[in-house]
Amino acid sequence: CGYSTIDRLPMTAIYIGQPHLLVCTAAMQAVVRCYRVAATSRRSGCHCRRWSSADSAPPSRLQKLRAQLQEGGGPADVAATPRKGAAPQQGSGLTGVKHVIAVTSCKGGVGKSTVAVNLAASMQKSGLSVGLLDADVYGPSLPALVSPEDSRLLKTDTGAIRPLDYEGIKCMSYGWSQHGRAAVLRGPLVSGLITQLATNTAWGELDVLLIDMPPGTGDIHITVGQQVQLSSAVVVTTPQRLSLLDVAKGIEVLGTFGVPTVALVENMLYFDCAHGERYHIFGPSVADQLTAQYGIPRAFGLPIEPEIAASATVGGVPLAFLPPDRQTDASRRIVAIYDELAAAVLEETTRIGVAAENLPVASFDPTVGFALREGDRMGTIGAKVLRLRCLCAGCVDEITRTPLLDADSVSPSIEVTSVAPRGNYAVEVRWSDGHSSLYSYRLLWDCIQENSEA
């Protein structure tokens, strides 16, 4: 309809239902009843105005991957691969997007948004066309991390939302419509809003769209998982037990939507003091544990560094965008990690497109046991042996990795009741004792090999 809220109007603006509908909360109830914004706004006294269009080096590893991406094949195929629980993408905004990659943590305060911005910057520097969507409605971070020259949200001639431009990255966040005001919205409205921002923003032709997910595993995660064809995910954590528990839940939620986690980032992993000592302030790395349990192919560690904090303040510049003459030795090392992360994420996501049709096939037969086949390779393992290798928090201590499951408590006649793939890296196995286990393919092959050698 072309309405937008007046500046400083003490109301919340929200997209609902269709790409061109933008209403204030004063008209929300009437909008829900009749779904006709223009008429409803006049009846409810909505203080809106018309939204006028007048408001308006040598090839790197990433660059080589970009050339591969633009030749077609893997990335485009990945985006079109059907997933369990995924509905067709609404709107037309994502039509030209080859990859949609989630950056998630499920735990707040781990530096996920800072990682997402710098990851986008590293990809953009290599020549990729990149978009960045801030999916956190209640606590948007993107407006504080980047500073577009023009931060007004305008619409295109077709009624789509025009993304803001920051150093060549197309950005979108609900925070730019709020001007610092709190978002007081119930779950169903938030889900509709996220759908609008994701699928009805005019992203155009993009190699990669990164979605900076909010903490938790609630309505927004379900909405994104069901409405957007996610190609892969990057998980950000810190080496703390609370973060570890939440991250494990987040990886499992991604798995229910068939989204593979291709990289793990441990933020604030260590601090290097001026005297050459390295301190693990939040505890030792948990990367080995998570990558083994969930089959995550790549892991990266980022230090506690004052320059990262300075770059994440309002008006700061992401480290990955700092020109060489402004970089210190510390910032160069961090930028190099982000560049490696960007290359790894794109490489693994591209590989998924090639390997998606050749995943191992798992099955169970009471006379044979649990079987895994991958091409000409095949192996089997007894059900009880596999049950005892479950790595969930109920079977293994999260910190000491000591087994908690008593072997005598598992019946020799235990059986698998169902086997279901979870993304491209794992299978979920349900047992006759009521338990459910998630095994990465890598862990399964290791178990089969160890069992055969024994």
Side-chain angles (χ1 to χ4, degrees), residues 60-70 343 346-347:
S60 66
R61 182 183 175 196
L62 266 175
Q63 287 170 329
K64 294 177 182 177
L65 286 168
R66 174 179 180 265
Q68 177 185 351
L69 198 159
Q70 292 181 333
L346 187 57
E347 188 174 296

Side-chain angles (χ1 to χ4, degrees), residues 37-164:
V37 176
T40 301
S41 299
R42 289 192 293 270
R43 286 198 300 271
S44 60
C46 173
H47 302 285
C48 294
R49 61 175 171 81
R50 280 287 176 182
W51 199 349
S52 170
S53 59
D55 293 335
S56 28
S60 66
R61 182 183 175 196
L62 266 175
Q63 287 170 329
K64 294 177 182 177
L65 286 168
R66 174 179 180 265
Q68 177 185 351
L69 198 159
Q70 292 181 333
E71 289 174 359
D77 294 338
V78 170
T81 301
R83 292 186 292 100
K84 176 183 176 181
Q89 303 183 130
Q90 299 182 6
S92 58
L94 295 173
T95 302
V97 179
K98 295 181 179 178
H99 273 310
V100 184
I101 301 174
V103 181
T104 184
S105 67
C106 292
K107 180 68 176 176
V110 300
K112 169 184 53 58
S113 296
T114 302
V115 170
V117 169
N118 282 281
L119 176 58
S122 288
M123 289 181 169
Q124 194 276 338
K125 284 191 311 178
S126 73
L128 292 170
S129 53
V130 181
L132 180 57
L133 170 62
D134 182 358
D136 194 342
V137 171
Y138 299 112
S141 300
L142 195 56
L145 292 172
V146 300
S147 303
E149 293 184 3
D150 187 352
S151 61
R152 295 174 300 170
L153 293 183
L154 306 176
K155 70 171 185 178
T156 66
D157 294 338
T158 61
I161 312 165
R162 182 178 300 158
L164 306 184

Side-chain angles (χ1 to χ4, degrees), residues 297-430:
R298 306 291 183 94
F300 299 84
L302 288 168
I304 298 174
E305 175 58 51
E307 290 188 47
I308 296 179
S311 70
T313 57
V314 176
V317 178
L319 287 183
F321 270 145
L322 282 178
D325 60 343
R326 291 182 55 189
Q327 292 182 2
T328 63
D329 289 341
S331 63
R332 288 190 189 94
R333 288 193 294 270
I334 296 169
V335 170
I337 295 173
Y338 279 122
D339 289 345
E340 291 177 15
L341 172 64
V345 169
L346 187 57
E347 188 174 296
E348 287 296 323
T349 305
T350 303
R351 187 185 62 80
I352 291 169
V354 177
E357 297 181 358
N358 301 306
L359 292 177
V361 177
S363 61
F364 176 76
D365 185 316
T367 60
V368 177
F370 183 91
L372 189 66
R373 181 188 296 276
E374 185 175 11
D376 296 332
R377 183 185 183 190
M378 182 175 177
T380 60
I381 186 172
K384 180 174 179 177
V385 177
L386 184 61
R387 174 69 180 86
L388 292 172
R389 292 299 301 268
C390 178
L391 297 178
C392 76
C395 298
V396 176
D397 185 275
E398 300 261 345
I399 303 300
T400 65
R401 309 306 298 157
T402 303
L404 302 176
L405 182 62
D406 184 3
D408 294 335
S409 67
V410 179
S411 170
S413 59
I414 190 170
E415 293 186 357
V416 174
T417 58
S418 68
V419 180
R422 289 291 177 258
N424 293 300
Y425 288 94
V427 293
E428 180 184 18
V429 178
R430 294 188 180 275

Side-chain angles (χ1 to χ4, degrees), residues 151-360:
S151 61
R152 295 174 300 170
L153 293 183
L154 306 176
K155 70 171 185 178
T156 66
D157 294 338
T158 61
I161 312 165
R162 182 178 300 158
L164 306 184
D165 180 86
Y166 177 73
E167 300 293 340
I169 299 175
K170 295 181 179 180
C171 303
M172 180 52 61
S173 172
Y174 183 58
W176 278 305
S177 73
Q178 289 301 94
H179 306 291
R181 295 189 297 271
V184 185
L185 304 170
R186 293 187 182 274
L189 297 181
V190 172
S191 296
L193 172 60
I194 288 301
T195 300
Q196 297 300 316
L197 293 180
T199 65
N200 292 296
T201 294
W203 298 111
E205 298 293 327
L206 290 181
D207 294 317
V208 177
L209 172 62
L210 297 175
I211 301 183
D212 180 11
M213 301 291 288
T217 56
D219 291 328
I220 293 177
H221 301 77
I222 296 172
T223 297
V224 172
Q226 292 178 338
Q227 300 297 335
V228 178
Q229 292 283 355
L230 292 173
S231 303
S232 62
V234 177
V235 172
V236 183
T237 185
T238 56
Q240 296 169 286
R241 183 174 184 181
L242 285 177
S243 296
L244 177 64
L245 294 174
D246 286 337
V247 159
K249 296 174 186 176
I251 294 173
E252 292 172 359
V253 169
L254 289 167
T256 63
F257 292 107
V259 180
T261 300
V262 296
L264 173 72
V265 178
E266 278 191 292
N267 201 17
M268 297 178 274
L269 178 58
Y270 57 85
F271 172 72
D272 289 333
C273 75
H275 304 94
E277 296 290 332
R278 174 166 291 187
Y279 298 93
H280 290 83
I281 297 174
F282 296 115
S285 171
V286 295
D288 290 344
Q289 176 182 341
L290 286 173
T291 54
Q293 182 172 352
Y294 295 103
I296 303 173
R298 306 291 183 94
F300 299 84
L302 288 168
I304 298 174
E305 175 58 51
E307 290 188 47
I308 296 179
S311 70
T313 57
V314 176
V317 178
L319 287 183
F321 270 145
L322 282 178
D325 60 343
R326 291 182 55 189
Q327 292 182 2
T328 63
D329 289 341
S331 63
R332 288 190 189 94
R333 288 193 294 270
I334 296 169
V335 170
I337 295 173
Y338 279 122
D339 289 345
E340 291 177 15
L341 172 64
V345 169
L346 187 57
E347 188 174 296
E348 287 296 323
T349 305
T350 303
R351 187 185 62 80
I352 291 169
V354 177
E357 297 181 358
N358 301 306
L359 292 177

